[in-house]
Amino acid sequence: MTALDVMALLALGGIAGFINVLSAGGSMLTLPLLMLLGLPPQVANGTNRVAIILQSTTAVAGFKRLGHGNLRVSLHLAVPAVLGSLLGAWIATWVADAVFEVVLIAAMIGASVFMLLPQPKLDTNPLTPERLGPVIYAAMFLIGVYGGFIQVGVGALFIVVLYRMLRIDLRQVNVFKVSIILLYTVPALMVFAINDQVRWGMGLVLAAGNITGAFVAVKVNLSEKGAQWVKWITLFMAGAILVRLVFY
């Protein structure tokens, strides 16, 4: 890694960590960055998980200190997601580079479109295990498959299931989201590491940026206007990276 590579990983990692905790889309920035820095798609995909785990650990610990979280419900939701992530990561380790790049571009476009959609105002309720059922568990398994495979835009899927289907408030969506992502990313990372598709040095540098961004995000309570600014900055940066990927 050059000094410029380190600076890019720290800077974009910080932005991504902040975005991932409060919204969705951080991996839209970090995964393509790792590829643009020379890592093959599958290796970039595995390396990105190092930062996600450490960022999520920071966020979970921060939320816990603030009194947020529900371990029992998080574990109920995480079990099918963990099983799905093992399948998704295994598929990602052998899929062809060209196929993965097409999926990445499609995922970035899909996540960007979702971020442009207005969030409906819903009456929300606390989440208890009694409110969970086969449909939600199946959705968590599919999110795990997707997250294990690529991770890009997975936060948008959590918003669909936790906010729109289960109708819990967006603050709690973020709390459950980072807990579940932490739990399913650990086995996914192990799959990539066993297949020698993790570059630990770059992953740890990226993680240093992600951790900083996640720490700040836990402390920040954005206004609606502030959240809109985060969304538009994310979309602008993702668009620039997407153009670079398409014409790389």
Side-chain angles (χ1 to χ4, degrees):
M1 286 184 290
T2 66
L4 189 59
D5 292 344
V6 172
M7 291 173 61
L9 289 167
L10 289 173
L12 219 56
I15 295 170
F18 185 86
I19 292 168
N20 278 336
V21 173
L22 292 179
S23 180
S27 288
M28 293 169 63
L29 310 179
T30 56
L31 180 53
L33 173 65
L34 290 167
M35 292 168 60
L36 293 174
L37 292 179
L39 294 185
Q42 290 95 334
V43 177
N45 194 18
T47 301
N48 190 48
R49 310 309 172 106
V50 178
I52 290 171
I53 287 175
L54 295 177
Q55 158 207 293
S56 299
T57 301
T58 301
V60 168
F63 282 132
K64 188 176 186 301
R65 283 194 298 271
L66 294 173
H68 302 303
N70 186 319
L71 179 60
R72 184 184 175 200
V73 176
S74 296
L75 291 175
H76 273 268
L77 292 169
V79 169
V82 167
L83 296 175
S85 74
L86 288 168
L87 175 60
W90 175 73
I91 294 172
T93 59
W94 55 260
V95 73
D97 286 1
V99 173
F100 183 84
E101 289 179 9
V102 169
V103 173
L104 172 60
I105 291 170
M108 290 182 67
I109 293 172
S112 297
V113 170
F114 181 86
M115 290 177 71
L116 289 171
L117 298 176
Q119 290 293 345
K121 300 294 184 181
L122 302 175
D123 293 327
T124 59
N125 298 289
L127 185 56
T128 61
E130 292 72 29
R131 294 180 58 199
L132 305 178
V135 173
I136 299 301
Y137 289 127
M140 285 295 109
F141 175 80
L142 293 175
I143 289 176
V145 173
Y146 178 83
F149 182 84
I150 195 169
Q151 186 68 25
V152 172
V154 75
L157 300 179
F158 278 110
I159 290 173
V160 170
V161 175
L162 298 177
Y163 180 63
R164 299 197 181 201
M165 293 175 63
L166 287 171
R167 299 196 172 208
I168 63 174
D169 67 79
L170 289 173
R171 179 186 291 276
Q172 286 300 303
V173 167
N174 290 331
V175 173
F176 283 116
K177 177 185 68 179
V178 295
S179 299
I180 299 165
I181 288 175
L182 171 60
L183 292 170
Y184 82 59
T185 303
V186 171
L189 176 62
M190 292 173 60
V191 172
F192 287 107
I194 289 170
N195 286 275
D196 194 29
Q197 293 181 355
V198 178
R199 297 297 174 264
W200 296 98
M202 294 185 79
L204 290 171
V205 173
L206 180 63
N210 279 40
I211 289 170
T212 303
F215 179 81
V216 173
V218 169
K219 301 291 185 181
V220 171
N221 184 18
L222 286 180
S223 65
E224 186 173 341
K225 185 176 180 180
Q228 287 294 318
W229 273 105
V230 171
K231 180 180 76 173
W232 286 111
I233 291 170
T234 305
L235 288 171
F236 174 79
M237 296 179 68
I241 291 174
L242 188 58
V243 170
R244 181 72 176 87
L245 278 175
V246 171
F247 297 100
Y248 181 64

